[in-house]
């Protein structure tokens, strides 16, 4: 069956611009997670949704980062006023409660 | 959060067994031990998880020490496709749960043909 889909796979933007990254989870998965991965590091937790609500957003680095999941399925990670330090691979995962996480292949964001 | 310690890298030969160690001396009694792996240019992939007893599945085996302060992921016959970064993660949840999972740097497994 279809896995977690993330679009775009690559995004290049200029410093100061706004970007949106999309995640299509596995159908029926109630939990959705966003992670960020810098080169040579493990994935770093950003935010967790259970249904439509953000159950834990403690990993968002600052108020330039925001994520939504309005209908409990697709999620969008939004980054305002991008900075070069935001360059990373942004990973999305989904799961049923109590089950392993299924990850997408990520969006590689490059801020020039 | 309880932390894990893994070697930065390991090397093995194709078609031989691989034993990937993980130390977690501060594990709590309710923490599950999860293993994920990340192939190049892909997102992490679930491998196996366990609580107290050894576990087997089609991908690997998980051997958990009796005091639960360490565990070993066993790939019975490594192939070139097993070359990846392997993460050992502790979580109070059997699945993702709140906060998801906290990844460290993992072990970079290199497989020689």
């Amino acid at each position: 069956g279809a896995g977690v889909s993330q679009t775009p796979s690559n995004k290049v933007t200029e410093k100061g611009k706004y970007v949106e990254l999309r995640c299509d989870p596995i159908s029926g998965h109630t939990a959705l997670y966003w992670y960020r991965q810098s080169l040579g590091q493990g994935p770093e937790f950003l935010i967790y949704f259970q249904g439509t609500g953000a159950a834990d957003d403690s990993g968002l680095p600052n108020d330039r980062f925001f994520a939504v999941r309005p209908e409990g399925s697709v999620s969008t990670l939004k980054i305002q006023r991008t900075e070069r330090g935001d360059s990373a691979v942004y990973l999305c995962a989904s799961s049923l409660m109590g089950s392993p996480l299924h990850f997408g292949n990520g969006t590689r964001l490059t801020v020039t | 959060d309880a932390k894990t310690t893994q070697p930065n890298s390991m090397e093995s030969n194709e078609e031989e067994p691989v034993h990937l160690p993980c130390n977690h001396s501060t594990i709590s009694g309710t923490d599950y031990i999860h293993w994920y792996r990340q192939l190049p240019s892909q997102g992490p992939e679930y491998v196996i998880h366990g609580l107290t007893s050894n576990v087997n599945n089609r991908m690997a085996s998980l051997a958990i020490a009796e005091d639960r302060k360490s565990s070993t992921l066993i790939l019975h016959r490594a192939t070139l496709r097993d070359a990846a970064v392997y993460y050992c993660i502790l979580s109070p949840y059997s699945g993702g749960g709140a906060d998801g999972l906290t990844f460290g740097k993992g072990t970079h497994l290199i497989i020689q043909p």
Side-chain angles (χ1 to χ4, degrees):
Chain A
V4 176
S5 175
Q6 292 189 246
T7 54
S9 55
N10 281 283
K11 176 71 177 177
V12 180
T13 191
E14 291 179 351
K15 179 176 177 293
K17 298 289 188 185
Y18 168 83
V19 295
E20 290 190 352
L21 311 179
R22 177 186 169 106
C23 173
D24 281 85
I26 292 173
S27 178
H29 280 194
T30 54
L32 185 145
Y33 308 83
W34 283 98
Y35 286 81
R36 177 170 71 174
Q37 187 169 27
S38 300
L39 196 63
Q41 305 294 316
E44 171 194 7
F45 169 79
L46 296 177
I47 186 169
Y48 155 63
F49 287 89
Q50 184 57 241
T52 60
D56 185 345
D57 64 358
S58 61
L60 294 177
N62 51 59
D63 61 6
R64 294 186 299 106
F65 288 74
F66 189 72
V68 295
R69 195 186 185 200
E71 297 178 357
S73 178
V74 171
S75 177
T76 305
L77 178 66
K78 309 180 181 198
I79 311 174
Q80 298 177 319
R81 305 183 304 279
T82 51
E83 300 177 357
R84 293 197 180 88
D86 298 334
S87 296
V89 175
Y90 289 82
L91 294 161
C92 176
S94 70
S95 76
L96 295 168
M97 284 307 293
S99 296
L101 272 60
H102 296 258
F103 283 83
N105 286 331
T107 293
R108 180 176 299 278
L109 176 67
T110 303
V111 182
T112 62
Chain B
D1 289 345
K3 290 186 66 174
T4 63
T5 303
Q6 299 178 255
N8 289 333
S9 65
M10 287 183 64
E11 213 168 296
S12 184
N13 295 320
E14 197 176 10
E15 298 187 6
E16 290 187 357
V18 179
H19 291 234
L20 293 161
C22 181
N23 287 318
H24 30 78
S25 59
T26 59
I27 189 171
S28 79
T30 54
D31 279 337
Y32 289 83
I33 301 159
H34 298 259
W35 284 83
Y36 281 72
R37 72 180 186 180
Q38 188 170 21
L39 279 65
S41 300
Q42 295 188 23
E45 169 189 36
Y46 169 78
V47 178
I48 200 166
H49 77 283
L51 185 61
T52 56
S53 303
N54 294 344
V55 184
N56 300 295
N57 66 21
R58 64 174 180 81
M59 288 182 71
S61 295
L62 176 59
I64 301 172
E66 200 168 328
D67 64 4
R68 299 208 330 124
K69 293 186 176 183
S70 66
S71 60
T72 302
L73 180 71
I74 302 166
L75 306 179
H76 294 285
R77 199 160 166 263
T79 70
L80 295 177
R81 287 175 294 180
D82 291 320
V85 178
Y86 286 78
Y87 299 98
C88 169
I89 303 162
L90 302 183
S91 171
Y93 307 98
S94 63
D99 299 344
L101 298 168
T102 301
F103 288 78
K105 289 190 176 182
T107 296
H108 184 199
L109 177 64
I110 299 163
I111 304 295
Q112 297 289 356

